Structures are given as C-alpha cells and as structure tokens.
C-alpha cells in the first residue's frame, strides 16, 4: 500500500492556529496548478514498484478549486500513475465551499470517493475564536449534502481550545456520532510558531491551551467513540470497521508516499524529502523543469526512531519481530530495556510481541516515543 498526497496551498482566510503552508492570495492559482502537473510528470518514476491505492488532496483548502480544475488535476494524476481500480480518492473540504452543484459535479466528473470536512466545532464562539470561514449551520448543511452524494465522509474536530467547556465538547462528539459519520479525525489544539495564535498568547491576548483540559477532553472523546463502535486505530483517528482512512493508515504504518506541491513531504522508506515552502519559488523551479525538492538519507537509527514514533501511535503497536528483521536484534534489546519503566508506570504494555500504549499512555504517547528513541547505536 502506497499513496500520493497533493498539497493545495490556498485558503479563503487564515485560521489562527494553522501553521501549514498556504496563501490567502489566489492570483497564482492557475500557474500553481500547472506546476503541480509538471511535478507529477517529472516524478513519475519514483513510484515504480509501488502499489498505489490512495490519492489525497490536502491543504490549504482543496475545495477552493472548481470541479473543472479538479477534473484536470486528477485526470493528470490518473494518466501518469498506475493507481489501483479501487483507489481511495480523498478531497479535504471546508463547509462553506460545499453546495449541491459542486458535489454533483465531483461525483459525475471525478473519481473523488471520500471527503474530509474541516468542521472543527459546532459552537459559534469556538469557530469565531479559530477564525474559521464557516458557521455551525453551514457545517451541518455540508454534512447533510455530502452524505447524500459521497457517503464515505470524515470530519475533523478540535479540542482543548481556551474556554471550551466539556459539555460543548461532548455535544459535538454526540452530534457527529448521531449523524452516522463513519470516520473522525480529532486533534488537540497546539500552539505553533508563526501563527496568529502564538502571537496572541505572547501579547497576552489569549490564554495558552490547558493541558489538563486537553487530556480530559481527549479521554471523553476516546470513551464516547468506543461506546459508539469506533475503532481508535491511531491517536487522532477513529473509524468504524471498514472505514479507516487509507491515507492515514499508510502514513502511520510507514508505507511510502509521494508528496506533490509546495511544502509537501515525501517518503520512500529510505529517504525523506520536502518541497520548498513558497508558491512563487515552487512555480519558478517547475517552469524551468527543475524539482524544488530536497532529500535526506535516513540512517538505520533514523528509520527506527520514525518507526517507533509512528507505530506506537497506532492500534497495531511496535512489533518486535519487525524491529529485529528491519533494524537488527540490538534494537530489540534496547527497546525492551527502555520500555520497562513505562510498562511499570502502566503507560505501555506488551500484547504478546507487540508494544502498545495503554489507555493512560495514549495522550502522552509522543513524549514516550521520544524517550524511547533517544539512543546512539551504530548502524
């Protein structure tokens, strides 16, 4: 299983918490779409031997593109790359872009068969605080319309925002469950540099996120979705059986992926690459048939660390047999030794030869993983 990610770096307005690469100025959109197609053509051979079964359009806001623009872009991807017949084609969308004509066009003219809606909240005050472009009524209407045309739907929710009450958070979870949505991606609010939120906090205009609140709301989410029949297959992702995101699953299981677009990352299981985070710079290089791409060769230690970070976040856990076969037996011994204190604290546990996070350890899993991979073994 492998996939292609296409980054669409445009948004109507900037959310206060977002540090993804995007621009609210769309005057370069036509040139950028041409550059995306050029990059796809120049990198065709990188996927030789891959079994491509997921194509994901993220951003930014991919739904800012018209149906005609998506037809052209996706048509190029399917013309150049050998995708499986049942490829999952996901489009990230914002509720304010969704209408009946748009969805009908997607179904009629493209292979988009899954939507990921950036709902984030159903509370007006929370949406305003985030500077989202939609309101709660638009969110509910978008969900209703998408389910009519593309039932394979995921929604995003954010918890841990300053002032967010548990009752509001529970109501959002219950509403999503009640609407029969089969996949939920949910993230704790984090403060990233170069964001409006970071500036607000530094200037005293906003309180910092409360970790105790975020932890409490995380476990409210975990428990209520478990009761509703969702599998918690990755720390931030919940799906009904048969409705896991292929894109997310491939990423967290360490499968290769090709990242197309400014700021997009790629991974071929030996190297990690990234494109320049500049729309003009990206366009300029590709107009001259040059890839705006840098690569970093990953050592055995680098790949082991990434394996721990990604797999410990999942329901599949860290597999000792896989560690031994992929990285060497010395890594198995190191892992067993380093994991012992966390097992004693009941943050990790052994499920046979699989190392997994306990319920109590899940919220802390990124910090636990970083402690586990602080090592200096030779390849």
């Amino acid at each position: 299983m492998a996939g292609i990610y296409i980054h669409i770096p445009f948004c109507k307005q900037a959310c206060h918490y977002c540090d993804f690469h995007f621009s609210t100025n769309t005057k370069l959109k036509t040139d950028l779409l041409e550059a995306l197609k050029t990059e796809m053509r120049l990198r065709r051979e990188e996927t030789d031997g891959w079994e491509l079964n997921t194509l994901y359009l993220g951003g930014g806001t991919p739904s800012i593109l018209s149906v005609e623009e998506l037809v052209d872009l996706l048509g190029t991807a399917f013309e150049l790359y050998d995708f499986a017949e049942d490829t999952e084609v996901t489009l990230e969308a914002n509720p304010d872009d969704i209408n009946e004509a748009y969805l009908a066009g997607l179904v009629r003219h493209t292979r988009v068969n899954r939507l990921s809606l950036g709902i984030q909240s159903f509370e007006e005050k929370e949406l305003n605080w985030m500077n989202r472009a939609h309101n709660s009524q638009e969110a509910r209407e978008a969900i209703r319309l998408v389910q009519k045309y593309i039932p394979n739907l995921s929604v995003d929710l954010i918890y841990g925002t300053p002032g967010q009450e548990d009752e509001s958070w529970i109501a959002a979870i219950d509403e999503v469950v009640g609407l029969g949505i089969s996949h939920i991606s949910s993230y704790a609010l984090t403060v990233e540099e170069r964001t409006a939120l970071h500036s607000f906090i530094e200037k005293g205009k906003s309180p910092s996120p409360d970790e105790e609140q975020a932890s409490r709301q995380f476990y409210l989410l975990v428990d209520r979705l478990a009761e509703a029949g969702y599998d918690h297959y990755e720390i931030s992702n919940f799906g009904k059986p048969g409705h896991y995101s292929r894109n997310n699953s491939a990423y967290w299981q360490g499968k290769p992926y090709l990242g197309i677009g400014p700021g997009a990352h790629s991974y071929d299981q030996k190297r990690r690459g990234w494109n320049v985070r500049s729309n003009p710079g990206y366009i300029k290089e590709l107009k001259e048939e040059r890839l705006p791409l840098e690569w970093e060769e990953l050592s055995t230690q680098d790949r082991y660390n990434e394996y721990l970070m990604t797999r410990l976040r999942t329901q599949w856990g860290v597999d000792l047999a896989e560690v031994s076969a992929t990285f060497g037996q010395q890594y198995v011994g190191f892992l067993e030794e380093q994991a012992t204190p966390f097992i004693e604290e009941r943050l990790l546990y052994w499920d046979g030869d699989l190392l997994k996070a306990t319920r109590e350890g899940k919220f802390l899993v990124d910090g636990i993983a970083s402690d586990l991979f602080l090592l200096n073994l030779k390849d």
Side-chain angles (χ1 to χ4, degrees):
M1 182 167 66
I4 293 179
Y5 171 85
I6 302 177
H7 189 73
I8 308 299
F10 299 109
C11 291
K12 288 181 181 177
Q13 62 189 52
C15 299
H16 289 159
Y17 55 83
C18 183
D19 76 332
F20 292 168
H21 171 65
F22 70 93
S23 172
T24 55
N25 185 339
T26 60
K27 68 179 182 180
L28 294 177
K29 185 173 67 168
T30 299
D31 287 342
L32 191 126
L33 290 173
E34 287 303 312
L36 291 174
K37 293 189 291 183
T38 300
E39 185 185 2
M40 281 193 276
R41 175 173 55 80
L42 294 177
R43 300 184 68 184
R44 167 65 189 84
E45 294 182 359
E46 289 182 37
T47 64
D48 286 348
W50 292 11
E51 296 180 11
L52 291 168
N53 70 351
T54 172
L55 175 58
Y56 193 99
L57 277 73
T61 311
S63 57
I64 208 168
L65 301 183
S66 68
V67 171
E68 292 74 21
E69 289 167 333
L70 287 168
V71 167
D72 186 40
L73 186 63
L74 291 171
T76 300
F78 280 102
E79 178 183 337
L80 290 170
Y81 294 89
D82 187 18
F83 285 98
E85 190 66 29
D86 67 341
T87 292
E88 179 183 88
V89 184
T90 302
L91 178 75
E92 286 187 351
N94 278 346
D96 47 297
D97 293 326
I98 297 300
N99 58 59
E100 197 139 9
Y102 189 80
L103 292 169
L106 288 180
V107 172
R108 189 176 301 119
H109 300 297
T110 78
R111 288 178 61 176
V112 171
N113 52 28
R114 182 175 183 272
L115 250 68
S116 177
L117 271 181
I119 299 297
Q120 315 309 356
S121 174
F122 291 106
E123 287 288 331
E124 297 298 344
K125 65 178 182 179
E126 293 170 10
L127 291 170
N128 290 335
W129 183 87
M130 297 177 197
N131 201 39
R132 296 292 291 169
H134 69 274
N135 59 41
S136 59
Q137 181 179 341
E138 287 174 317
R140 293 183 175 99
E141 179 64 11
I143 290 171
R144 185 188 69 79
L145 284 175
V146 172
Q147 288 179 314
K148 177 181 175 182
Y149 285 91
I150 305 176
N152 192 6
L153 169 64
S154 176
V155 301
D156 287 357
L157 295 174
I158 290 179
Y159 59 90
T161 60
Q164 183 182 37
E165 297 178 353
D166 290 352
E167 291 76 13
S168 164
W169 178 232
I170 290 169
I173 299 166
D174 290 348
E175 181 163 359
V176 167
V177 170
L179 289 168
I181 294 165
S182 57
H183 188 278
I184 299 165
S185 294
S186 189
Y187 308 92
L189 179 73
T190 55
V191 181
E192 306 291 346
E193 292 187 6
R194 304 191 311 272
T195 64
L197 177 57
H198 183 267
S199 175
F200 293 160
I201 292 171
E202 283 201 327
K203 294 175 181 178
K205 295 181 178 180
S206 172
S208 297
D210 184 300
E211 187 169 352
E212 182 179 330
Q213 172 197 344
S215 174
R216 187 176 65 251
Q217 293 178 347
F218 170 76
Y219 288 112
L220 285 170
L221 174 73
V222 169
D223 293 344
R224 294 185 88 82
L225 291 185
E227 291 172 6
Y230 291 79
D231 295 335
H232 190 190
Y233 70 94
E234 192 275 329
I235 292 300
S236 300
N237 288 283
F238 304 78
K240 289 288 183 72
H243 291 278
Y244 299 0
S245 163
R246 287 189 192 173
N247 176 77
N248 293 350
S249 298
Y251 176 79
W252 296 111
Q253 290 181 306
K255 306 300 183 182
Y257 55 88
L258 189 69
I260 301 293
H265 283 236
S266 301
Y267 175 65
D268 66 6
Q269 298 182 313
K270 295 180 180 178
R271 303 175 299 166
R272 183 168 299 284
W274 56 93
N275 285 338
V276 62
R277 283 176 60 109
S278 162
N279 291 355
Y282 176 82
I283 292 166
K284 179 178 183 296
E285 291 298 297
L286 284 159
K287 276 186 175 178
E288 299 175 10
E289 299 277 310
R290 292 194 301 264
L291 288 173
L293 173 66
E294 292 184 46
W295 285 103
E296 174 191 14
E297 295 288 337
L298 299 175
S299 66
T300 302
Q301 180 179 318
D302 292 332
R303 290 185 292 113
Y304 169 78
N305 290 345
E306 290 205 4
Y307 175 81
L308 285 183
M309 178 60 78
T310 54
R311 287 296 290 269
L312 202 56
R313 290 178 59 100
T314 72
Q315 67 177 6
W316 302 288
V318 174
D319 187 334
L320 282 186
E322 197 168 2
V323 170
S324 178
T326 306
F327 308 109
Q329 188 60 33
Q330 63 175 333
Y331 284 85
V332 172
F334 182 85
L335 175 61
E336 290 177 325
E337 178 183 346
Q338 292 294 96
T340 297
F342 296 101
I343 292 170
E344 291 174 348
E345 293 177 38
R346 298 184 180 181
L347 299 175
L348 300 177
Y349 72 102
W350 288 109
D351 180 6
D353 285 339
L354 302 175
L355 183 65
K356 299 181 179 181
T358 64
R359 180 184 183 280
E360 293 72 21
K362 285 181 177 179
F363 185 72
L364 306 171
V365 74
D366 286 344
I368 294 170
S370 67
D371 286 341
L372 291 178
F373 64 56
L374 293 175
L375 73 160
N376 190 26
L377 295 176
K378 295 181 179 179
D379 287 357

